[in-house]
């Protein structure tokens, strides 16, 4: 079972948006996917309540219950588990991330967001978890993308794929779907599928189709 924790100390970086979209991306290619919503705000779990499709499974858990939820998931045969986390989770993130295969750290390409990316990286690295930043909500052709990539590359790995600033992300989530289901031919759908492919390569997820 591959476990991927999505974290950022900064609120609103895109943790829930990406947790849900990546969970659906993996599910759409045939993985058995569980999304653990470890944020008391419950954004990912609320999305699942509006969803009609029969996957991926979404469970709300207390941060302190994540490790036992992971053991249960392994015994149930899940192949990929995403964990959506709360902002400013410093204390609990160490425990949540323990044993994860990868931490995906969304960062918006703004100076404030870049500043707060380091502490999150430090926490997951100290827990022994490999991490990579993903630039989220990027304006098309903005010079900030390349500049942010350079700044982040000094701290750690950065995904090739960047995620655009697109209204379809929120719009699709409102209807209990992902952009791949809501607008399958959109740029958003393509970039999410590519980001999942990058994650699958890094974590050695064996493609099911
Ligand atoms: N790529 C994107 N394009 C456009 N809007 C986005 C994008 N990613 C996130 N947003 C918007 O930014 C806001 C915050 O996103 P989200 O809730 O995913 O962040 P979060 O990191 O989970 O926040 P929190 O720290 O509160 O849990 C939401 O309104 C969401 O629709
Ligand atoms: Mg969230």
């Amino acid at each position: 079972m591959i476990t991927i924790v999505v974290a950022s100390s900064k609120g609103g970086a895109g943790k829930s948006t990406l947790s849900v979209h990546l969970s659906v991306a993996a599910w759409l290619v045939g993985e058995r996917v569980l999304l653990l919503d470890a944020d008391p705000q419950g954004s990912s779990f609320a999305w699942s309540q509006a969803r009609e499709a029969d996957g991926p499974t979404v469970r709300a858990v207390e941060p302190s219950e994540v490790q036992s939820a992971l053991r249960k998931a392994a015994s149930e045969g899940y192949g990929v588990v995403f964990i959506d986390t709360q902002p400013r989770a410093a204390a609990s993130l160490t425990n949540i991330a323990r044993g994860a295969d990868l931490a995906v750290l969304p960062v918006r390409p703004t100076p404030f967001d870049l500043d707060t990316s380091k502490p999150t990286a430090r926490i997951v690295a100290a827990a022994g978890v490999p991490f990579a930043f993903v630039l989220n909500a990027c304006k098309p052709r903005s010079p900030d993308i390349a500049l942010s990539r350079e700044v982040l590359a000094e701290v750690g790995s950065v995904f090739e794929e960047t995620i655009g600033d697109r209204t379809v992300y929120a719009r699709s989530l409102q209807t209990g779907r992902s952009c791949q289901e809501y607008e399958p031919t959109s740029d958003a759908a393509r970039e999410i599928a590519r980001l999942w492919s990058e994650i699958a390569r890094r974590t050695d997820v064996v493609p099911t189709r």
Side-chain angles (χ1 to χ4, degrees):
M1 187 176 86
I2 299 292
T3 304
I4 299 152
V5 57
V6 183
S8 72
S9 56
K10 184 125 179 99
K15 296 176 287 296
S16 301
T17 300
L18 292 181
S19 296
V20 169
H21 276 90
L22 290 169
S23 296
V24 175
W27 177 75
L28 286 172
V29 294
E31 302 295 341
R32 278 203 67 196
V33 181
L34 171 65
L35 169 56
L36 293 177
D37 187 351
D39 180 357
Q41 289 180 109
S43 309
S44 296
F45 188 71
W47 166 82
S48 72
Q49 300 296 94
R51 185 164 175 80
E52 287 170 7
D54 62 357
T57 310
V58 184
R59 291 178 185 155
V61 289
E62 294 292 326
S64 60
E65 292 171 350
V66 165
Q67 293 297 330
S68 60
L70 289 172
R71 284 191 291 276
K72 181 165 183 263
S75 72
E76 291 168 329
Y78 283 99
V80 179
V81 182
F82 285 93
I83 310 171
D84 183 12
T85 61
Q86 62 188 327
R88 296 168 289 277
S92 58
L93 185 56
T94 302
N95 180 47
I96 291 173
R98 190 161 31 89
D101 297 279
L102 180 68
V104 172
L105 311 181
V107 184
R108 288 175 182 254
T110 74
F112 287 151
D113 289 63
L114 293 171
D115 282 350
T116 59
S117 63
K118 275 189 199 165
T120 317
R122 222 176 285 127
I123 292 168
V124 292
V129 177
F131 66 87
F133 297 107
V134 55
L135 283 164
N136 182 38
C138 300
K139 305 263 186 242
R141 292 176 298 282
S142 161
D144 294 340
I145 300 172
L147 289 173
S148 301
R149 188 177 281 284
E150 271 177 39
V151 172
L152 292 173
E154 287 172 15
V155 184
S157 176
V158 187
F159 285 106
E160 285 297 314
E161 195 63 39
T162 57
I163 302 298
D165 183 355
R166 307 182 195 282
T167 51
V168 67
Y169 284 115
R171 215 177 307 131
S172 55
L173 295 187
Q174 273 163 10
T175 64
R177 283 178 281 177
S178 101
C179 61
Q180 289 182 286
E181 298 163 322
Y182 187 78
E183 273 183 18
T185 59
S186 61
D187 289 340
R190 276 193 288 273
E191 65 196 11
I192 287 293
R194 284 193 299 255
L195 180 58
W196 165 246
S197 297
E198 265 193 77
I199 292 172
R201 275 201 302 279
R202 278 181 191 245
T203 52
D204 297 327
V205 170
V206 180
T208 47
R209 327 185 188 120

